[in-house]
Amino acid sequence: MTMNQSYLNQQDYLAQKFRYTEEHIQQMSRLALLKLQSLQMVRNNRHLGDTRKQEMEEFIQTTLMNPVSNDYVLSEEGFYFSDFNN
């Protein structure tokens, strides 16, 4: 019976980890949407100065847009560590 309990505990752990990850992704998506909506409001506001608009553009660039090199993505995905038949 202990082996079965261990298996169930692992399922519970994996399910909880999945729920946590899913909730985190949803929260980050909501936050990104709010940032983009704020940017749109700033762009459409005629009463704000160009400096404020530029600050908002830079804020969005630094918090949402994080470009990475192709080599980094390939390395993280394990492309260089496996053999491929072309």
Side-chain angles (χ1 to χ4, degrees):
M1 195 68 158
T2 54
M3 183 179 258
N4 195 15
Q5 281 182 328
S6 172
Y7 179 70
L8 291 175
N9 287 340
Q10 189 174 10
Q11 283 182 330
D12 288 345
Y13 168 76
L14 291 174
Q16 182 179 9
K17 185 176 177 182
F18 175 78
R19 274 186 253 126
Y20 173 78
T21 303
E22 192 68 22
E23 183 178 321
H24 180 73
I25 290 170
Q26 288 177 356
Q27 289 175 353
M28 292 296 104
S29 296
R30 264 189 250 120
L31 183 59
L33 179 62
L34 290 173
K35 287 179 181 181
L36 292 173
Q37 287 173 338
S38 297
L39 175 63
Q40 190 65 30
M41 287 173 55
V42 166
R43 284 180 177 169
N44 292 335
N45 190 338
R46 298 181 310 160
H47 302 292
L48 283 178
D50 289 338
T51 305
R52 294 281 183 189
K53 291 180 182 182
Q54 185 61 32
E55 287 174 359
M56 188 63 173
E57 295 278 349
E58 290 172 5
F59 174 73
I60 295 297
Q61 284 293 333
T62 57
T63 59
L64 291 182
M65 312 298 182
N66 297 319
V68 295
S69 68
N70 294 338
D71 290 339
Y72 176 78
V73 174
L74 291 173
S75 175
E76 289 297 308
E77 292 300 318
F79 179 78
Y80 299 120
F81 304 117
S82 59
D83 294 330
F84 288 100
N85 296 327
N86 289 332

Coordinates of all heavy atoms in Angstrom, one line a residue:
M1 N 0.8 -1.2 0.0 CA 0.0 0.0 0.0 C 0.9 1.3 0.0 O 0.5 2.3 -0.5 CB -0.9 0.0 1.2 CG -2.1 1.0 1.1 SD -3.2 0.5 -0.1 CE -4.6 1.3 0.3
T2 N 2.0 1.2 0.6 CA 2.9 2.4 0.6 C 3.4 2.8 -0.7 O 3.5 4.0 -1.0 CB 4.1 2.2 1.6 OG1 4.8 1.0 1.1 CG2 3.7 2.1 3.0
M3 N 3.6 1.9 -1.6 CA 4.0 2.2 -3.0 C 2.9 3.0 -3.7 O 3.2 3.9 -4.4 CB 4.4 1.0 -3.8 CG 5.0 1.3 -5.1 SD 5.5 -0.2 -6.0 CE 7.2 -0.1 -5.8
N4 N 1.7 2.5 -3.5 CA 0.6 3.2 -4.2 C 0.4 4.6 -3.6 O 0.1 5.5 -4.3 CB -0.7 2.4 -4.0 CG -1.8 2.8 -4.9 OD1 -1.6 3.6 -5.8 ND2 -3.0 2.4 -4.6
Q5 N 0.6 4.8 -2.3 CA 0.5 6.1 -1.7 C 1.5 7.0 -2.2 O 1.3 8.2 -2.5 CB 0.6 6.0 -0.1 CG -0.7 5.5 0.5 CD -0.5 5.5 2.0 OE1 0.6 5.2 2.5 NE2 -1.5 5.8 2.8
S6 N 2.7 6.5 -2.4 CA 3.8 7.3 -2.9 C 3.5 7.8 -4.3 O 3.7 9.0 -4.7 CB 5.1 6.5 -2.9 OG 6.1 7.2 -3.6
Y7 N 2.9 6.9 -5.1 CA 2.5 7.3 -6.5 C 1.4 8.4 -6.5 O 1.5 9.3 -7.2 CB 2.0 6.0 -7.2 CG 1.5 6.3 -8.6 CD1 2.5 6.6 -9.6 CD2 0.2 6.2 -8.9 CE1 2.0 6.8 -10.9 CE2 -0.2 6.4 -10.2 CZ 0.7 6.7 -11.2 OH 0.3 7.0 -12.5
L8 N 0.4 8.2 -5.6 CA -0.6 9.2 -5.5 C -0.1 10.5 -5.0 O -0.5 11.6 -5.4 CB -1.7 8.7 -4.5 CG -2.6 7.5 -5.1 CD1 -3.6 7.1 -4.0 CD2 -3.3 7.9 -6.3
N9 N 0.8 10.5 -4.0 CA 1.4 11.8 -3.5 C 2.2 12.5 -4.7 O 2.1 13.7 -4.7 CB 2.4 11.5 -2.4 CG 1.6 11.1 -1.1 OD1 0.5 11.4 -1.0 ND2 2.3 10.5 -0.2
Q10 N 2.8 11.7 -5.5 CA 3.5 12.4 -6.6 C 2.5 13.0 -7.6 O 2.7 14.1 -8.1 CB 4.4 11.4 -7.4 CG 5.3 12.0 -8.4 CD 6.3 11.0 -9.0 OE1 6.2 9.8 -8.8 NE2 7.2 11.5 -9.7
Q11 N 1.4 12.3 -7.8 CA 0.4 12.9 -8.7 C -0.2 14.2 -8.1 O -0.4 15.1 -8.8 CB -0.8 11.9 -8.9 CG -0.5 10.8 -9.9 CD -1.7 9.8 -10.0 OE1 -2.5 9.7 -9.1 NE2 -1.8 9.3 -11.2
D12 N -0.4 14.2 -6.8 CA -0.9 15.4 -6.1 C 0.1 16.5 -6.3 O -0.3 17.6 -6.6 CB -1.2 15.1 -4.7 CG -2.4 14.3 -4.4 OD1 -3.2 14.1 -5.4 OD2 -2.5 13.7 -3.3
Y13 N 1.4 16.2 -6.1 CA 2.4 17.2 -6.2 C 2.5 17.8 -7.7 O 2.5 19.0 -7.8 CB 3.8 16.6 -5.9 CG 4.9 17.5 -6.3 CD1 5.3 18.6 -5.5 CD2 5.7 17.2 -7.4 CE1 6.3 19.4 -5.9 CE2 6.8 18.0 -7.8 CZ 7.1 19.1 -7.0 OH 8.1 19.9 -7.4
L14 N 2.4 16.9 -8.6 CA 2.4 17.3 -10.0 C 1.2 18.2 -10.4 O 1.3 19.2 -11.1 CB 2.6 16.1 -11.0 CG 3.9 15.4 -10.9 CD1 3.9 14.2 -11.8 CD2 5.1 16.3 -11.3
A15 N 0.1 17.7 -9.9 CA -1.2 18.5 -10.2 C -1.1 19.9 -9.5 O -1.5 20.9 -10.1 CB -2.4 17.7 -9.6
Q16 N -0.6 19.9 -8.3 CA -0.5 21.2 -7.6 C 0.5 22.1 -8.3 O 0.3 23.3 -8.5 CB 0.0 21.0 -6.1 CG 0.1 22.2 -5.3 CD 0.5 21.9 -3.9 OE1 0.9 20.8 -3.6 NE2 0.5 23.0 -3.1
K17 N 1.6 21.5 -8.7 CA 2.7 22.3 -9.5 C 2.1 22.8 -10.8 O 2.3 24.0 -11.1 CB 3.9 21.4 -9.7 CG 5.0 22.2 -10.4 CD 6.2 21.3 -10.5 CE 7.3 22.1 -11.2 NZ 8.5 21.3 -11.4
F18 N 1.3 22.0 -11.5 CA 0.7 22.5 -12.7 C -0.3 23.6 -12.5 O -0.3 24.6 -13.2 CB 0.0 21.3 -13.4 CG -0.8 21.7 -14.6 CD1 -0.2 21.9 -15.8 CD2 -2.2 21.9 -14.5 CE1 -0.9 22.3 -16.9 CE2 -2.9 22.3 -15.7 CZ -2.2 22.5 -16.9
R19 N -1.1 23.5 -11.4 CA -2.1 24.5 -11.1 C -1.4 25.8 -10.7 O -1.8 26.9 -11.1 CB -3.0 24.1 -9.9 CG -4.2 23.3 -10.4 CD -5.1 23.0 -9.3 NE -5.0 21.6 -9.0 CZ -4.7 21.1 -7.8 NH1 -4.6 21.8 -6.8 NH2 -4.6 19.8 -7.7
Y20 N -0.3 25.7 -10.0 CA 0.5 26.9 -9.6 C 1.1 27.6 -10.8 O 1.0 28.8 -11.0 CB 1.6 26.5 -8.6 CG 2.5 27.7 -8.3 CD1 2.1 28.7 -7.4 CD2 3.8 27.8 -8.9 CE1 3.0 29.8 -7.2 CE2 4.6 28.9 -8.7 CZ 4.2 29.8 -7.8 OH 5.0 30.9 -7.6
T21 N 1.7 26.8 -11.7 CA 2.2 27.3 -12.9 C 1.2 28.0 -13.8 O 1.4 29.1 -14.3 CB 3.0 26.2 -13.7 OG1 4.0 25.6 -12.9 CG2 3.6 26.8 -15.0
E22 N 0.1 27.3 -13.9 CA -1.1 27.9 -14.7 C -1.6 29.2 -14.2 O -1.8 30.1 -14.9 CB -2.2 26.8 -14.8 CG -3.2 27.1 -15.8 CD -2.8 27.0 -17.3 OE1 -1.8 26.3 -17.5 OE2 -3.4 27.6 -18.1
E23 N -1.7 29.2 -12.9 CA -2.2 30.5 -12.2 C -1.2 31.6 -12.4 O -1.5 32.7 -12.7 CB -2.4 30.2 -10.7 CG -2.9 31.5 -10.0 CD -3.2 31.2 -8.6 OE1 -3.7 30.1 -8.2 OE2 -2.9 32.1 -7.7
H24 N 0.1 31.3 -12.3 CA 1.2 32.3 -12.5 C 1.1 32.8 -13.9 O 1.3 34.0 -14.1 CB 2.5 31.6 -12.2 CG 3.7 32.6 -12.4 ND1 3.9 33.6 -11.5 CD2 4.6 32.6 -13.3 CE1 5.0 34.3 -11.9 NE2 5.4 33.7 -13.0
I25 N 1.0 31.9 -14.9 CA 0.9 32.4 -16.3 C -0.3 33.3 -16.5 O -0.2 34.3 -17.2 CB 0.9 31.2 -17.2 CG1 2.2 30.4 -17.2 CG2 0.5 31.6 -18.7 CD1 2.2 29.1 -17.9
Q26 N -1.4 32.9 -15.9 CA -2.6 33.8 -16.1 C -2.4 35.1 -15.4 O -2.8 36.2 -16.0 CB -3.8 33.1 -15.5 CG -4.3 31.9 -16.3 CD -5.5 31.2 -15.6 OE1 -5.9 31.5 -14.5 NE2 -6.1 30.2 -16.2
Q27 N -1.8 35.2 -14.3 CA -1.5 36.5 -13.6 C -0.6 37.3 -14.4 O -0.8 38.5 -14.6 CB -1.0 36.3 -12.2 CG -2.0 35.7 -11.2 CD -1.4 35.4 -9.9 OE1 -0.2 35.5 -9.7 NE2 -2.3 35.1 -8.9
M28 N 0.5 36.7 -15.0 CA 1.4 37.5 -15.8 C 0.8 38.0 -17.1 O 1.1 39.1 -17.5 CB 2.7 36.6 -16.1 CG 3.5 36.3 -14.9 SD 4.3 37.8 -14.1 CE 3.2 38.0 -12.7
S29 N -0.1 37.2 -17.6 CA -0.8 37.6 -18.9 C -1.7 38.8 -18.6 O -1.8 39.7 -19.4 CB -1.6 36.4 -19.4 OG -0.8 35.4 -19.8
R30 N -2.4 38.7 -17.4 CA -3.3 39.9 -17.0 C -2.4 41.1 -16.8 O -2.8 42.2 -17.3 CB -4.0 39.5 -15.8 CG -5.4 39.0 -16.0 CD -6.3 38.9 -14.8 NE -6.4 37.5 -14.5 CZ -6.0 36.8 -13.5 NH1 -5.5 37.4 -12.5 NH2 -6.2 35.5 -13.4
L31 N -1.3 41.0 -16.2 CA -0.4 42.1 -15.9 C 0.1 42.7 -17.3 O 0.1 43.9 -17.4 CB 0.7 41.7 -15.1 CG 1.7 42.8 -14.6 CD1 1.0 43.9 -13.9 CD2 2.8 42.2 -13.8
A32 N 0.5 41.8 -18.2 CA 0.9 42.3 -19.5 C -0.2 43.0 -20.2 O 0.1 44.1 -20.8 CB 1.4 41.1 -20.3
L33 N -1.4 42.5 -20.2 CA -2.5 43.2 -20.8 C -2.8 44.5 -20.2 O -3.0 45.5 -20.9 CB -3.8 42.3 -20.7 CG -5.0 42.9 -21.3 CD1 -4.9 43.1 -22.8 CD2 -6.2 42.0 -21.0
L34 N -2.7 44.7 -18.9 CA -2.9 46.0 -18.2 C -1.8 46.9 -18.7 O -2.1 48.1 -18.9 CB -2.9 45.8 -16.7 CG -4.1 45.1 -16.2 CD1 -4.0 44.8 -14.7 CD2 -5.4 45.9 -16.4
K35 N -0.6 46.5 -18.8 CA 0.5 47.4 -19.2 C 0.3 47.9 -20.6 O 0.5 49.0 -20.9 CB 1.9 46.6 -19.1 CG 2.4 46.4 -17.7 CD 3.7 45.7 -17.7 CE 4.2 45.4 -16.3 NZ 5.5 44.7 -16.3
L36 N -0.2 47.0 -21.5 CA -0.4 47.4 -22.9 C -1.6 48.3 -23.0 O -1.6 49.3 -23.8 CB -0.6 46.1 -23.8 CG 0.6 45.3 -24.0 CD1 0.3 44.0 -24.7 CD2 1.7 46.0 -24.7
Q37 N -2.6 48.1 -22.2 CA -3.8 49.0 -22.2 C -3.4 50.4 -21.6 O -3.8 51.4 -22.2 CB -4.9 48.4 -21.3 CG -5.6 47.3 -22.0 CD -6.6 46.6 -21.0 OE1 -6.6 46.7 -19.8 NE2 -7.6 45.9 -21.6
S38 N -2.5 50.4 -20.7 CA -2.0 51.7 -20.1 C -1.2 52.4 -21.2 O -1.3 53.6 -21.4 CB -1.1 51.4 -18.9 OG -1.8 50.9 -17.9
L39 N -0.4 51.7 -21.9 CA 0.4 52.3 -23.0 C -0.5 52.9 -24.1 O -0.3 54.0 -24.5 CB 1.3 51.2 -23.7 CG 2.1 51.7 -24.9 CD1 3.1 52.8 -24.5 CD2 2.8 50.5 -25.5
Q40 N -1.6 52.2 -24.4 CA -2.5 52.7 -25.4 C -3.2 53.9 -24.9 O -3.4 54.9 -25.6 CB -3.6 51.6 -25.7 CG -4.5 51.9 -26.9 CD -3.7 52.0 -28.2 OE1 -2.7 51.3 -28.3 NE2 -4.1 52.8 -29.1
M41 N -3.6 54.0 -23.6 CA -4.2 55.2 -23.0 C -3.2 56.3 -23.1 O -3.6 57.5 -23.4 CB -4.7 54.9 -21.6 CG -5.9 54.0 -21.5 SD -6.3 53.5 -19.8 CE -6.5 55.1 -19.0
V42 N -2.0 56.1 -22.7 CA -1.0 57.2 -22.8 C -0.8 57.7 -24.2 O -0.7 58.9 -24.4 CB 0.4 56.7 -22.2 CG1 1.5 57.6 -22.5 CG2 0.2 56.5 -20.7
R43 N -0.7 56.8 -25.1 CA -0.5 57.2 -26.5 C -1.7 58.1 -27.0 O -1.5 59.0 -27.8 CB -0.4 56.0 -27.4 CG 0.9 55.3 -27.4 CD 0.9 54.1 -28.3 NE 2.2 53.5 -28.3 CZ 2.4 52.3 -28.9 NH1 1.5 51.6 -29.5 NH2 3.7 51.8 -28.9
N44 N -2.9 57.8 -26.6 CA -4.1 58.5 -27.0 C -4.4 59.8 -26.2 O -5.2 60.6 -26.6 CB -5.3 57.6 -26.9 CG -5.3 56.5 -27.9 OD1 -4.6 56.6 -29.0 ND2 -5.9 55.4 -27.6
N45 N -3.7 60.0 -25.1 CA -3.9 61.1 -24.3 C -3.1 62.3 -24.9 O -1.9 62.4 -24.9 CB -3.5 60.9 -22.9 CG -3.9 61.9 -21.9 OD1 -4.1 63.1 -22.3 ND2 -3.9 61.6 -20.6
R46 N -3.9 63.3 -25.3 CA -3.2 64.5 -26.0 C -2.6 65.4 -24.9 O -1.8 66.3 -25.3 CB -4.3 65.3 -26.8 CG -4.8 64.5 -27.9 CD -5.8 65.3 -28.7 NE -6.8 65.9 -27.8 CZ -7.5 67.0 -28.0 NH1 -7.5 67.6 -29.2 NH2 -8.4 67.5 -27.1
H47 N -3.0 65.3 -23.7 CA -2.6 66.2 -22.6 C -1.2 65.8 -22.0 O -0.7 66.6 -21.2 CB -3.6 66.4 -21.6 CG -4.9 66.9 -22.1 ND1 -5.1 68.2 -22.6 CD2 -6.1 66.3 -22.3 CE1 -6.3 68.3 -23.1 NE2 -7.0 67.2 -22.9
L48 N -0.8 64.6 -22.3 CA 0.5 64.2 -21.7 C 1.6 64.7 -22.6 O 1.5 64.6 -23.9 CB 0.6 62.7 -21.6 CG -0.2 62.1 -20.4 CD1 -0.1 60.6 -20.4 CD2 0.3 62.6 -19.1
G49 N 2.7 65.0 -22.0 CA 3.9 65.4 -22.8 C 4.6 64.3 -23.5 O 4.4 63.1 -23.1
D50 N 5.4 64.6 -24.5 CA 6.2 63.6 -25.2 C 7.1 62.8 -24.3 O 7.4 61.7 -24.5 CB 6.9 64.2 -26.4 CG 6.0 64.7 -27.5 OD1 4.9 64.1 -27.6 OD2 6.4 65.5 -28.3
T51 N 7.6 63.5 -23.3 CA 8.6 62.9 -22.3 C 7.9 61.7 -21.6 O 8.4 60.6 -21.5 CB 9.1 63.9 -21.3 OG1 9.7 65.0 -22.0 CG2 10.1 63.3 -20.4
R52 N 6.7 62.0 -21.1 CA 5.9 61.0 -20.4 C 5.6 59.8 -21.3 O 5.6 58.6 -20.9 CB 4.6 61.5 -19.9 CG 4.8 62.6 -18.8 CD 5.1 61.9 -17.5 NE 5.2 62.9 -16.5 CZ 5.6 62.7 -15.3 NH1 6.0 61.5 -14.9 NH2 5.7 63.7 -14.4
K53 N 5.2 60.1 -22.6 CA 4.9 59.0 -23.5 C 6.2 58.2 -23.8 O 6.1 57.0 -23.9 CB 4.4 59.6 -24.8 CG 3.0 60.2 -24.6 CD 2.4 60.8 -25.9 CE 1.1 61.4 -25.7 NZ 0.5 61.9 -26.9
Q54 N 7.3 58.9 -23.9 CA 8.6 58.1 -24.2 C 8.9 57.3 -23.0 O 9.4 56.1 -23.1 CB 9.7 59.1 -24.5 CG 11.0 58.4 -24.9 CD 10.9 57.6 -26.1 OE1 10.1 57.9 -27.0 NE2 11.6 56.5 -26.1
E55 N 8.7 57.8 -21.8 CA 8.9 57.0 -20.6 C 8.1 55.7 -20.5 O 8.6 54.6 -20.2 CB 8.7 57.8 -19.3 CG 9.7 58.9 -19.0 CD 9.3 59.8 -17.9 OE1 8.2 59.6 -17.3 OE2 10.1 60.7 -17.5
M56 N 6.8 55.8 -20.9 CA 6.0 54.7 -21.0 C 6.4 53.7 -22.0 O 6.4 52.5 -21.8 CB 4.5 55.1 -21.2 CG 3.5 54.0 -21.1 SD 3.5 53.4 -19.4 CE 2.1 52.3 -19.5
E57 N 6.8 54.2 -23.2 CA 7.3 53.3 -24.2 C 8.6 52.5 -23.7 O 8.7 51.3 -23.9 CB 7.7 54.1 -25.5 CG 6.6 54.8 -26.2 CD 5.8 53.9 -27.1 OE1 6.2 52.8 -27.4 OE2 4.7 54.3 -27.5
E58 N 9.5 53.2 -23.0 CA 10.7 52.6 -22.5 C 10.3 51.5 -21.4 O 10.9 50.5 -21.3 CB 11.6 53.6 -21.9 CG 12.3 54.4 -23.0 CD 13.1 55.6 -22.5 OE1 13.2 55.7 -21.2 OE2 13.6 56.4 -23.3
F59 N 9.3 51.9 -20.6 CA 8.9 51.0 -19.6 C 8.3 49.7 -20.2 O 8.7 48.6 -19.7 CB 7.8 51.6 -18.7 CG 7.1 50.7 -17.7 CD1 7.8 50.3 -16.6 CD2 5.8 50.3 -17.9 CE1 7.2 49.5 -15.6 CE2 5.3 49.4 -17.0 CZ 6.0 49.0 -15.8
I60 N 7.5 49.8 -21.2 CA 7.0 48.6 -21.9 C 8.1 47.8 -22.5 O 8.2 46.6 -22.4 CB 5.9 49.0 -22.9 CG1 4.7 49.6 -22.3 CG2 5.5 47.8 -23.8 CD1 4.0 48.7 -21.3
Q61 N 9.1 48.5 -23.1 CA 10.2 47.8 -23.8 C 11.0 47.0 -22.7 O 11.4 45.9 -23.0 CB 11.1 48.8 -24.5 CG 10.6 49.3 -25.8 CD 10.5 48.2 -26.9 OE1 11.3 47.2 -26.8 NE2 9.6 48.3 -27.8
T62 N 11.2 47.6 -21.6 CA 12.1 46.9 -20.6 C 11.3 45.8 -19.8 O 12.0 44.9 -19.3 CB 12.7 47.9 -19.6 OG1 11.6 48.6 -18.9 CG2 13.6 48.9 -20.3
T63 N 10.0 45.9 -19.7 CA 9.3 45.0 -18.9 C 8.6 43.8 -19.7 O 8.4 42.8 -19.1 CB 8.2 45.6 -18.0 OG1 7.3 46.3 -18.8 CG2 8.9 46.6 -17.0
L64 N 8.3 44.1 -20.9 CA 7.6 43.1 -21.7 C 8.4 42.5 -22.8 O 8.3 41.4 -23.2 CB 6.3 43.7 -22.3 CG 5.2 44.0 -21.3 CD1 4.0 44.5 -22.1 CD2 4.8 42.8 -20.5
M65 N 9.2 43.3 -23.4 CA 10.0 42.9 -24.6 C 11.4 42.6 -24.3 O 12.2 43.5 -24.0 CB 10.0 44.0 -25.7 CG 8.6 44.6 -26.0 SD 7.5 43.3 -26.6 CE 6.0 44.3 -26.9
N66 N 11.7 41.3 -24.1 CA 13.1 40.9 -23.8 C 13.7 40.1 -24.9 O 13.6 38.8 -24.8 CB 13.1 40.1 -22.4 CG 12.6 41.0 -21.3 OD1 13.0 42.1 -21.2 ND2 11.8 40.4 -20.4
P67 N 14.2 40.7 -25.9 CA 14.7 39.9 -27.0 C 16.0 39.1 -26.6 O 16.8 39.5 -25.8 CB 15.1 40.9 -28.1 CG 15.3 42.2 -27.3 CD 14.4 42.1 -26.1
V68 N 16.0 37.9 -27.1 CA 17.2 37.0 -26.9 C 17.7 36.5 -28.2 O 17.0 36.5 -29.2 CB 16.8 35.8 -26.0 CG1 16.4 36.3 -24.6 CG2 15.7 35.0 -26.6
S69 N 18.9 36.1 -28.2 CA 19.5 35.6 -29.4 C 19.0 34.2 -29.8 O 18.6 33.4 -28.9 CB 21.1 35.6 -29.3 OG 21.4 34.6 -28.4
N70 N 19.2 33.8 -31.1 CA 18.8 32.5 -31.5 C 19.6 31.4 -30.8 O 19.1 30.4 -30.5 CB 18.9 32.4 -33.0 CG 18.0 33.3 -33.8 OD1 17.0 33.7 -33.2 ND2 18.3 33.6 -35.0
D71 N 20.9 31.7 -30.6 CA 21.8 30.7 -30.0 C 21.3 30.4 -28.6 O 21.3 29.3 -28.1 CB 23.2 31.3 -29.9 CG 23.9 31.3 -31.3 OD1 23.4 30.6 -32.2 OD2 24.8 32.1 -31.4
Y72 N 20.8 31.4 -27.9 CA 20.3 31.2 -26.5 C 19.1 30.3 -26.5 O 19.0 29.3 -25.7 CB 20.0 32.5 -25.9 CG 19.4 32.4 -24.5 CD1 20.2 32.1 -23.4 CD2 18.0 32.5 -24.3 CE1 19.6 32.0 -22.1 CE2 17.4 32.3 -23.0 CZ 18.3 32.1 -22.0 OH 17.7 31.9 -20.7
V73 N 18.2 30.5 -27.4 CA 16.9 29.7 -27.5 C 17.3 28.3 -27.8 O 16.8 27.3 -27.2 CB 15.9 30.3 -28.5 CG1 14.8 29.4 -28.7 CG2 15.5 31.7 -28.1
L74 N 18.2 28.1 -28.8 CA 18.6 26.7 -29.2 C 19.3 26.0 -28.1 O 19.0 24.8 -27.9 CB 19.5 26.8 -30.5 CG 18.7 27.3 -31.8 CD1 19.8 27.4 -32.9 CD2 17.7 26.3 -32.2
S75 N 20.1 26.7 -27.4 CA 20.8 26.1 -26.3 C 19.9 25.7 -25.2 O 20.0 24.6 -24.6 CB 21.9 27.1 -25.7 OG 22.5 26.6 -24.6
E76 N 18.9 26.6 -24.8 CA 17.9 26.3 -23.8 C 17.0 25.1 -24.2 O 16.6 24.4 -23.3 CB 17.1 27.5 -23.5 CG 17.8 28.6 -22.8 CD 18.3 28.2 -21.4 OE1 17.5 27.7 -20.6 OE2 19.5 28.3 -21.1
E77 N 16.8 24.9 -25.4 CA 15.9 23.8 -25.9 C 16.7 22.5 -26.1 O 16.1 21.5 -26.5 CB 15.2 24.2 -27.2 CG 14.1 25.3 -27.0 CD 13.1 24.9 -26.0 OE1 12.6 23.7 -26.0 OE2 12.7 25.7 -25.1
G78 N 18.0 22.6 -25.9 CA 18.8 21.4 -26.0 C 19.2 21.0 -27.4 O 19.5 19.9 -27.7
F79 N 19.1 21.9 -28.3 CA 19.4 21.7 -29.7 C 20.8 21.2 -29.9 O 21.1 20.3 -30.7 CB 19.2 22.9 -30.6 CG 19.5 22.8 -32.0 CD1 18.6 22.1 -32.9 CD2 20.7 23.2 -32.5 CE1 18.9 22.0 -34.2 CE2 21.0 23.1 -33.9 CZ 20.1 22.5 -34.7
Y80 N 21.8 21.8 -29.2 CA 23.2 21.4 -29.4 C 23.6 20.1 -28.7 O 24.6 19.6 -28.9 CB 24.1 22.5 -28.8 CG 23.9 23.9 -29.6 CD1 23.4 25.0 -28.9 CD2 24.1 24.0 -30.9 CE1 23.2 26.2 -29.5 CE2 23.9 25.1 -31.6 CZ 23.5 26.3 -30.9 OH 23.3 27.4 -31.5
F81 N 22.7 19.6 -27.9 CA 23.0 18.4 -27.1 C 22.4 17.1 -27.7 O 22.6 16.0 -27.1 CB 22.5 18.5 -25.6 CG 23.0 19.8 -25.0 CD1 22.2 20.8 -24.6 CD2 24.4 20.0 -24.8 CE1 22.6 21.9 -24.0 CE2 24.9 21.1 -24.2 CZ 24.0 22.1 -23.8
S82 N 21.8 17.2 -28.8 CA 21.2 16.0 -29.4 C 21.6 15.8 -30.8 O 21.9 16.8 -31.5 CB 19.7 16.0 -29.2 OG 19.1 17.1 -29.9
D83 N 21.6 14.6 -31.3 CA 22.0 14.4 -32.7 C 20.7 14.5 -33.6 O 19.6 14.0 -33.2 CB 22.6 13.0 -32.9 CG 23.9 12.8 -32.1 OD1 24.6 13.9 -32.0 OD2 24.2 11.7 -31.7
F84 N 20.9 15.0 -34.7 CA 19.8 15.1 -35.7 C 20.2 14.6 -37.0 O 21.4 14.7 -37.4 CB 19.4 16.6 -35.9 CG 18.7 17.2 -34.8 CD1 19.4 18.0 -33.9 CD2 17.3 17.0 -34.5 CE1 18.7 18.6 -32.8 CE2 16.7 17.5 -33.5 CZ 17.4 18.4 -32.6
N85 N 19.3 13.9 -37.6 CA 19.6 13.3 -39.0 C 18.9 14.3 -40.0 O 17.7 14.4 -40.0 CB 19.0 11.9 -39.1 CG 19.7 10.9 -38.2 OD1 20.9 11.1 -37.9 ND2 18.9 10.0 -37.7
N86 N 19.8 14.8 -40.8 CA 19.3 15.8 -41.9 C 19.1 15.0 -43.2 O 19.9 14.3 -43.6 CB 20.2 17.0 -42.1 CG 20.1 17.9 -40.9 OD1 19.0 17.9 -40.2 ND2 21.1 18.6 -40.6

